[in-house]
Amino acid sequence: MAVAADASNAADASVAEQFELCVSFIGSAPPEALPTSARSQASALKLYGWFKQANAGPCTKPKPSVFDPVGRQKWQAWAGLADMPKTKAQAAYVNFVRSVSGPNRQETTRALV
C-alpha cells in the first residue's frame, strides 16, 4: 500500500516538475519559436484555464460583466474546467506544450520526456 502511495507521489511530482518547465518555456519563448496555431487566442485561453486550475483550483470568482469581454473569456476558460484535479490540469498543460513545441525545441521536449 505504501509503495503505491510513493509511486503516486512520484508521478505527481514529475507532472508538477514538467508543468513548471512548460510554464517557464511558454513564458520565455519568443513568439516565433511557437507555431501559429499555438499563438492563437484559443490556445492562450486553454493554457490560461489549465494554469489557473492547477494553481488556484476550481474557479470561485463571479462571472465578469459583458463589458469585460477579455475577462469573461478568461473566466469561461477557467470555470469550464469545473472540478478538474490539479494534476490533470497540469498534465493537460504539459501535453499541449509538448504538442506545439515542435522539432526546433528539442531541448525542451527532451526535458519533458
Side-chain angles (χ1 to χ4, degrees):
M1 183 85 118
V3 173
D6 289 345
S8 176
N9 289 341
D12 289 349
S14 177
V15 169
E17 290 168 2
Q18 292 176 25
F19 174 72
E20 292 303 324
L21 283 171
C22 288
V23 168
S24 178
F25 170 71
I26 291 295
S28 65
E32 60 275 0
L34 299 170
T36 305
S37 63
R39 293 180 270 162
S40 71
Q41 184 176 7
S43 293
L45 287 169
K46 284 180 191 177
L47 289 170
Y48 176 83
W50 292 321
F51 179 84
K52 291 294 282 185
Q53 190 77 8
N55 287 299
C59 180
T60 58
K61 306 259 184 209
K63 189 174 189 176
S65 161
V66 295
F67 299 109
D68 180 7
V70 173
R72 209 167 162 93
Q73 288 179 331
K74 290 167 85 175
W75 181 89
Q76 289 170 336
W78 182 16
L81 299 176
D83 292 326
M84 176 185 274
K86 175 181 181 171
T87 54
K88 285 193 178 188
Q90 290 174 332
Y93 193 104
V94 168
N95 290 335
F96 181 83
V97 172
R98 279 183 177 161
S99 73
V100 299
S101 64
N104 61 332
R105 301 301 299 181
Q106 288 291 329
E107 66 280 358
T108 302
T109 305
R110 233 179 289 121
L112 298 174
V113 173

